[in-house]
Amino acid sequence: MIYSPRHMKWWGWGNVDTTFDCDAHPSFWPYAKSQLGIEREAHPIPLVPLDSVRLPEPIINHRFLAELRSTMHGHQICDSRHERVVHAYGKGFRDLFRLRRGSAEGAPDLVLYPENENDVLAALRAAADHDVVVIPFGGGSNIAGCLERMETHRMAVSLDMRRMRRVLAVDSESFTARVEAGVFGPDLEEQLNALGMTLGHFPDSFLHSTLGGWIATRSAGMQSDKYGKIEDMVVALRLVTPEGVLATRSVPKSSNGIDVNHLCIGSEGTLGVITEATMRVHPRPESRLVPAYLFRDFEGGLQAMRECVRRECMPSMVRLNDPDKTTLSLAFKPPSSQISQAVNKIFKGYLRAKGFDLRRSCLMLAAFEGRNGDVARGSREVGAIYRRFGGISLGASAGKSFESTKYDFPHIRDYLLERAVTTDVSETSTVWSNILPVYQAAIRAIRTGVLESGVPPWAGCHISHTYHCGASLYFTFGFMQELGHEMEQYLKVKRAAQQSFMDHGATLSHHHAVGTEHLPWLTADISPLGVRAVGAIKQSLDPGNNMNPGRLRPSSDPFTEWSRIGSLSSVNAKTKATCS
């Protein structure tokens, strides 16, 4: 039976029938208008029809196609307009901005759907023999520019892995599971839950991303404090390369030289295609509790997080919002009853009496899951620490609201993009002693970058994914578009955010990958010799540069190419109307 999950809408996030429901969040648009200085009403910009989207004329390598047709079925080889557009990009701002304006110059010439590892191996061997580019594709949720073709002189193929989605075996004694890499998050959890297990990996893109994509980009889930990032979960894997299959053994630890697993993890499709992984899994938790707390300021919440790490009693998830991200979260709340509104009014009065300035207050969300007794004990210990640092419990209802909408935030971007508002994110990580300097510098850089275009900025941050020596910082920003200069305006702000990370000792990305979006900063992050080492591995496993070229190898002038991607001049130069 052929497994065919739904593709996300080609022009935005989520399924075609899923959108941001403003009526379910009545305070959001008034809040956005007040923060961004918007006076117009919420009339969406019309979407360009699919038939009018400009596609590059397909490059056809007939010998490659003939070899493919000898090993694959016809339904596995697709070249329709819809397939090419769906696989043209990920879901970053540049991607959606171009698609909404009818440009898909990054589209592949062909889309392949392998159904087993032999299909993948045959496709890569044919690509190497006939000089064809292969771009691995999971759910298409990437926002770092990992999926767009970067060459126009060779045939480019998108290798969509979604039909390889089985849990092959579960070793309940060893707590491991062998899984095909094309499985989507909900499907994986459903298969594991049926056996009493969970992977415990729940990124924001959970509904629309795959295991292979998580591994290839070093993904982080909401509950990484308990289960770890994806690289902490990989026990063994199989990577099909143009030179053959790289495979590692299912052992807990080893001393066998350089860790080959970690050559593949984070490789972003540049070395080959991850077809299978053996993952560390866990018993399905008996219970889950998600309380919320309010702190007087950002610094107090940060101190409480660090103290929990020091005392080794971290929740499975913790998320500290700064004041602006807190007000955004409150504006995102669903409508409340008159009774709830009255209770909220009384509670706000209580907070003011306790010395809370609601303009500076910060929301903390925590989650505890596992055995019933462990959840109760952990929530008590953490709650006591939070109170020591001035936190006040808001109870479990706020946490329930987060749980019900935790995968909805990407839909806000589509809603605002339709109304000529740019929104995006930049995330990083650093050590505890450097978190406040990085936070202050990045917020200042983002706001300054926006103000230079003459419109009001909105910028907020949350801290999550804590570790023994530090944590991640996730910045969100938004502003009205400067019509006719939207891309230049965006790039100025994005560059300011990323450069502030480098200037203040943080990393270019904690879990969104490098792609093209962060490539200019790779050399500064891992050193010139580190870049050479990556290039040497690439040359060994992919000597023909067939696998996702243009990634993890900065040019001598990286910002020139970075600035060109998505510019209107490149769109007009590289695309023309065509029918498929």
Side-chain angles (χ1 to χ4, degrees), residues 182-259:
V183 66
F184 280 70
D187 191 19
L188 173 58
E189 282 298 311
E190 183 178 338
Q191 293 182 68
L192 290 176
N193 290 173
L195 300 171
M197 297 289 178
T198 180
L199 180 64
H201 192 72
F202 300 96
D204 289 350
S205 62
F206 174 74
L207 301 178
H208 307 289
S209 53
T210 64
L211 174 63
W214 299 341
I215 296 171
T217 59
R218 291 191 177 269
S219 169
M222 295 182 189
Q223 296 172 192
S224 64
D225 290 78
K226 178 178 176 69
Y227 299 109
K229 285 183 81 219
I230 198 69
E231 60 261 37
D232 303 313
M233 304 177 180
V234 176
V235 177
L237 52 70
R238 293 179 66 84
L239 179 82
V240 175
T241 81
E243 293 293 291
V245 180
L246 183 156
T248 60
R249 294 184 178 223
S250 296
V251 295
K253 291 291 179 182
S254 64
S255 178
N256 54 6
I258 293 172
D259 189 343

Side-chain angles (χ1 to χ4, degrees), residues 280-536:
R280 186 181 70 189
V281 295
H282 306 265
R284 192 176 181 184
E286 294 176 0
S287 64
R288 180 172 169 83
L289 179 67
V290 189
Y293 299 84
L294 197 68
F295 287 83
R296 287 182 175 83
D297 52 39
F298 198 52
E299 291 81 356
L302 180 59
Q303 290 173 350
M305 294 175 78
R306 189 169 62 243
E307 180 66 10
C308 287
V309 170
R310 189 183 73 82
R311 296 183 57 173
E312 298 182 348
C313 60
M314 284 301 299
S316 62
M317 180 204 81
V318 62
R319 179 171 293 190
L320 173 65
N321 291 344
D322 75 353
D324 288 285
K325 197 70 180 288
T326 295
T327 56
L328 173 62
S329 296
L330 295 176
F332 194 69
K333 285 173 55 179
S336 56
S337 66
Q338 289 185 345
I339 295 176
S340 296
Q341 292 173 17
V343 171
N344 287 336
K345 187 175 181 180
I346 294 171
F347 187 65
K348 286 180 179 179
Y350 167 77
L351 291 173
R352 292 190 184 96
K354 286 285 188 178
F356 277 73
D357 179 350
L358 297 182
R359 295 168 300 180
R360 299 185 66 236
S361 298
C362 295
L363 178 67
M364 175 93 85
L365 291 168
F368 303 85
E369 69 172 46
R371 292 189 293 256
N372 293 328
D374 294 339
V375 167
R377 181 169 53 256
S379 62
R380 285 196 303 269
E381 292 176 354
V382 169
I385 292 172
Y386 288 176
R387 287 192 295 273
R388 278 181 49 204
F389 289 90
I392 289 182
S393 175
L394 303 179
S397 61
K400 289 179 180 178
S401 176
F402 167 78
E403 290 282 271
S404 65
T405 61
K406 62 185 177 182
Y407 300 127
D408 291 349
F409 267 95
H411 296 291
I412 295 178
R413 182 184 53 174
D414 290 347
Y415 180 85
L416 292 174
L417 197 54
E418 291 171 356
R419 289 154 181 82
V421 174
T422 293
T423 59
D424 199 34
V425 297
S426 281
E427 42 78 44
T428 187
S429 71
T430 191
V431 294
W432 287 112
S433 60
N434 198 35
I435 284 179
L436 281 179
V438 169
Y439 166 71
Q440 293 161 351
I443 288 289
R444 183 168 58 248
I446 292 168
R447 289 175 177 163
T448 300
V450 175
L451 285 169
E452 288 180 5
S453 65
V455 296
W458 185 94
C461 175
H462 72 259
I463 295 179
S464 58
H465 308 297
T466 61
Y467 307 97
H468 178 74
C469 61
S472 71
L473 299 92
Y474 195 108
F475 295 88
T476 305
F477 54 86
F479 46 87
M480 291 175 58
Q481 292 176 357
E482 185 181 5
L483 300 183
H485 301 279
E486 298 92 343
M487 192 59 68
E488 297 94 324
Q489 181 192 30
Y490 163 74
L491 292 178
K492 180 179 291 186
V493 179
K494 182 69 174 180
R495 183 169 181 172
Q498 293 297 133
Q499 191 60 49
S500 73
F501 299 161
M502 292 294 102
D503 292 343
H504 293 84
T507 185
L508 59 81
S509 174
H510 170 260
H511 60 267
H512 282 164
V514 180
T516 54
E517 199 71 11
H518 305 134
L519 187 59
W521 293 275
L522 183 61
T523 302
D525 206 353
I526 67 173
S527 82
L529 192 58
V531 171
R532 280 177 54 193
V534 172

